[in-house]
Amino acid sequence: MRVLGIETSCDETAAAVVTEGGDVLSDVVRSQVALHAPYGGVVPEVAARDHARAVVPVVREALARAGVTAADLDGVAVTSRPGLAGALLVGLQTAKGLAWAAGKPLVGVDHLVGHLLAVFLRRDGARSTSAPDGPLTPPASPTPPASPTPPASDERPAFPYVALLASGGHTAIYRVDGPALGAIRELGATRDDAAGEAFDKVAKLLGLGYPGGPVVDRLAATGDAAAAAEAVPAVMARKESLEFSFSGIKSAVARHVAKRGRPEGQALNDLCAAFQGAVVDALVQKTVRAARAEGIERVVLAGGVAANRGLRAQMAAACARRGLGLFVPPFASCTDNGAMIAYAGALRLAAGERDTLDLAPETRTALPRVTRKGGGVR
């Protein structure tokens, strides 16, 4: 089975062709980072308009790189939720038109489910990217990391597993018993900001630009967290809780900058290291705690923050100490991409599921939530 996946939930226009077994035949991603950088974050209307301009060329390129036509496909999958309403609508209308014209079944995919299943993708160098405003080109060789990180695992986890999904818009821990919506259960999530959102906001406070996560990660590698520990509190450290709160640490950094000004040089690196260390400590400790509480020996990282080298290294060490198996997807499977949507859609198609042409965008995930937003003792 070969399925086309279309992803337009936020600020990447992506399309990919993937088999039911997870083999990635093509994966084309067009980033909007340069468009949103002047604003320090994603502007929904700008995102939707750029998706409308880019989605057809991206889909055509994905089909061409896979060596297939629309007639060769067994189905079309598209992100239908959660995300920005206008951005989702672009992908949905494109997928509907293509599925209708080619006479292929259509399936909507929950974006979070795509991330939770991305660890099953087999890429073998199939990924390709595009310049923000230029022609589609193969990706440049990645910059070698400043510090050692565990390689992505070629193995696939068995169900069930505990997954940490951390990105710019979502941070939660899930128990995953299978690929269906009913087999995925939230164990704990953030009460306020997502981890990636906190990275971006702190980077903006420090004058590091947007997106901030990769810059903070790079500077933290040469910083001394202990030297700036007084500026950064622990992140919701109650041992019994699997919930997160990142608004406090963001506010603490803001107060530190307001009092002392923006740090430079080594002081900046130290503050980045302290901030990242506090966030990573919370993510790692609560994920490991969740796995032990559920009696599960397999842990999966998912989402854009899973590309953070500090998180990968610390999670690997923590899992090794407790005898847990860690499954880390390659960097290309962490950030938003069409391959994870195509794979999740292929599993829905294989299970006999279909959606009709009245499929509508939804800004919220279909996964049941147990964590309530806002402060206060639960």
Side-chain angles (χ1 to χ4, degrees):
M1 183 181 292
R2 291 174 293 189
V3 176
L4 171 70
I6 300 174
E7 153 63 23
T8 62
S9 66
C10 190
D11 61 343
E12 276 92 18
T13 310
V17 178
V18 177
T19 70
E20 179 187 353
D23 295 309
V24 181
L25 306 183
S26 68
D27 191 11
V28 178
V29 182
R30 182 183 187 277
S31 174
Q32 296 181 1
V33 166
L35 292 177
H36 301 290
Y39 309 102
V42 177
V43 181
E45 180 65 17
V46 173
R49 289 178 179 272
D50 195 67
H51 284 309
R53 182 164 67 97
V55 66
V56 171
V58 166
V59 168
R60 284 176 174 163
E61 184 69 13
L63 293 173
R65 288 179 182 269
V68 300
T69 66
D72 300 321
L73 297 173
D74 295 290
V76 179
V78 60
T79 303
S80 58
R81 61 192 307 164
L84 304 174
L88 288 170
L89 187 61
V90 173
L92 270 168
Q93 295 300 88
T94 304
K96 288 178 184 180
L98 182 58
W100 178 82
K104 304 298 179 181
L106 171 75
V107 286
V109 172
D110 190 294
H111 182 81
L112 303 191
V113 175
H115 274 304
L116 292 172
L117 299 178
V119 69
F120 293 100
L121 295 174
R122 292 193 180 101
R123 289 187 169 272
D124 297 327
R127 182 174 183 266
S128 61
T129 61
S130 63
D133 291 298
L136 296 166
T137 57
S141 300
T143 303
S147 59
T149 58
S153 173
D154 290 330
E155 299 180 15
R156 294 177 167 193
F159 295 112
Y161 56 81
V162 166
L164 170 66
L165 197 170
S167 68
H170 310 277
T171 298
I173 302 171
Y174 294 93
R175 176 183 173 124
V176 183
D177 288 288
L181 283 172
I184 301 173
R185 178 164 57 92
E186 179 189 299
L187 302 177
T190 179
R191 294 183 178 185
D192 38 60
D193 292 349
E197 183 182 3
F199 270 94
D200 287 339
K201 288 180 176 178
V202 166
K204 187 175 182 179
L205 288 169
L206 299 177
L208 300 178
Y210 172 85
V215 182
V216 172
D217 187 23
R218 176 173 55 82
L219 297 178
T222 57
D224 178 9
E230 79 286 349
V232 181
V235 176
M236 202 170 172
R238 287 195 297 117
K239 290 185 177 181
E240 70 277 11
S241 175
L242 295 179
E243 297 181 353
F244 303 93
S245 174
F246 298 106
S247 63
I249 190 173
K250 173 198 67 181
S251 298
V253 173
R255 289 192 296 269
H256 179 80
V257 171
K259 181 179 180 180
R260 302 190 181 183
R262 287 178 176 173
E264 298 179 352
Q266 187 59 42
L268 174 60
N269 297 354
D270 295 342
L271 184 57
C272 287
F275 166 76
Q276 176 166 293
V279 173
V280 167
D281 281 346
L283 294 174
V284 170
Q285 291 175 15
K286 291 177 186 259
T287 301
V288 170
R289 187 183 308 150
R292 299 180 72 182
E294 293 293 316
I296 295 176
E297 298 180 349
R298 293 166 294 277
V299 173
V300 167
L301 291 185
V305 179
N308 182 280
R309 293 169 297 179
L311 174 59
R312 287 178 170 231
Q314 193 164 326
M315 187 71 80
C319 288
R321 287 195 300 270
R322 292 163 177 80
L324 303 174
L326 177 63
F327 298 84
V328 185
F331 292 109
S333 293
C334 295
T335 53
D336 291 353
N337 61 87
M340 67 183 191
I341 303 304
Y343 178 67
L347 295 183
R348 286 199 64 200
L349 289 168
E353 299 177 24
R354 305 288 189 274
D355 285 308
T356 60
L357 293 180
D358 61 358
L359 179 65
E362 297 286 346
T363 59
R364 295 178 180 269
T365 178
L367 296 175
R369 295 181 59 180
V370 300
T371 301
R372 190 173 78 248
K373 292 289 187 179
V377 178
R378 299 292 192 264

